[in-house]
Amino acid sequence: GESVGLHLPTLSVQEGDNSIINCAYSNSASDYFIWYKQESGKGPQFIIDIRSNMDKRQGQRVTVLLNKTVKHLSLQIAATQPGDSAVYFCAESSSGTYKYIFGTGTRLKVLA
Amino acid sequence: DAGITQSPRHKVTETGTPVTLRCHQTENHRYMYWYRQDPGHGLRLIHYSYGVKDTDKGEVSDGYSVSRSKTEDFLLTLESATSSQTSVYFCAIRETSGLDTQYFGPGTRLTVL
């Protein structure tokens, strides 16, 4: 719940603006990446994923960009809405390991 | 929600008591995971299972044990709870039909006094 977000960086955006949330991943061998959204008191919810053979993938109002050169992942949310307010975090995995490494997350606050 | 339920959803217990958390899935996934989530940390893997009776340790397994006697159930046991195990615990499954996506349950908030 709320206690999870106590030490998180916060991004505040105006309703209707676009949001960009960034994530630096750690393992050069990682080839699969996921973005999750977590609302207070709930479990992480899958948003979008991308494999390392892609640089960009689009979903409904969301786009994930992958820069393997600098090991950076970003999540773009178009026309941010109040319901987008949550903690967002990325996860990385490499084929055959069956394990995932999770970032600590960014809190997105949508201002009316 | 990938058909994942966790029970109980909330529990308060005392130091030294045993606690068992249950994760139940309805979609016959082979891989199941237990994580804990604490302020300042990303999700940390406690144990995972890759089949019935097949389990392995994660990065924070000390003080925890698991069992998987059926595909649908993955149990996490704290043999003797400590205050440092106060946390929110999430169960997850890994889909293997396409990408390796993980889906999470709703979580169990455990408080050890």
Side-chain angles (χ1 to χ4, degrees):
Chain A
E2 282 296 327
S3 64
V4 171
L6 278 179
H7 307 290
L8 296 178
T10 298
L11 173 67
S12 296
V13 298
Q14 288 293 137
E15 181 179 355
D17 287 351
N18 297 334
S19 303
I20 300 177
I21 301 171
N22 297 303
C23 176
Y25 64 93
S26 57
N27 186 357
S28 298
S30 293
D31 58 5
Y32 179 58
F33 305 88
I34 310 171
W35 277 103
Y36 289 96
K37 172 186 181 182
Q38 188 174 20
E39 296 174 282
S40 180
K42 296 185 178 180
Q45 176 187 354
F46 171 87
I47 301 173
I48 192 168
D49 57 6
I50 189 169
R51 279 234 173 261
S52 59
N53 60 354
M54 302 174 68
D55 297 324
K56 179 180 180 179
R57 191 167 187 220
Q58 289 184 291
Q60 187 176 15
R61 280 201 310 120
V62 295
T63 301
V64 55
L65 299 177
L66 175 62
N67 185 330
K68 295 180 286 294
T69 303
V70 295
K71 293 191 288 186
H72 184 268
L73 197 66
S74 69
L75 176 70
Q76 300 179 1
I77 304 174
T80 311
Q81 302 170 358
D84 295 327
S85 293
V87 172
Y88 291 81
F89 57 89
C90 63
E92 60 183 291
S93 179
S94 53
S95 299
T97 64
Y98 316 121
K99 295 183 182 179
Y100 303 76
I101 302 171
F102 295 87
T104 53
T106 297
R107 177 175 298 282
L108 176 65
K109 286 188 175 181
V110 181
L111 308 173
Chain B
D1 63 0
I4 305 168
T5 56
Q6 293 184 231
S7 59
R9 294 294 314 281
H10 301 271
K11 186 170 182 67
V12 179
T13 192
E14 295 187 348
T15 298
T17 60
V19 177
T20 295
L21 308 183
R22 179 181 184 238
C23 177
H24 180 77
Q25 55 126 339
T26 59
E27 298 181 4
N28 209 34
H29 295 290
R30 179 183 173 191
Y31 292 88
M32 299 183 74
Y33 302 75
W34 276 108
Y35 293 92
R36 59 178 290 171
Q37 188 176 46
D38 304 287
H41 296 274
L43 288 159
R44 292 184 290 173
L45 180 64
I46 304 171
H47 283 278
Y48 69 103
S49 170
Y50 46 96
V52 173
K53 296 186 180 178
D54 290 324
T55 64
D56 205 351
K57 295 179 179 180
E59 60 181 307
V60 290
S61 60
D62 287 348
Y64 301 95
S65 62
V66 289
S67 66
R68 190 155 178 216
S69 58
K70 299 184 290 184
T71 299
E72 59 266 34
D73 289 324
F74 191 30
L75 304 181
L76 177 70
T77 297
L78 291 65
E79 301 290 348
S80 178
T82 67
S83 59
S84 65
Q85 293 176 311
T86 293
S87 186
V88 181
Y89 292 86
F90 289 101
C91 174
I93 60 89
R94 173 176 172 261
E95 280 202 341
T96 54
S97 56
L99 293 171
D100 303 320
T101 308
Q102 266 203 335
Y103 293 96
F104 288 85
T108 294
R109 180 174 293 278
L110 176 67
T111 302
V112 184
L113 302 176

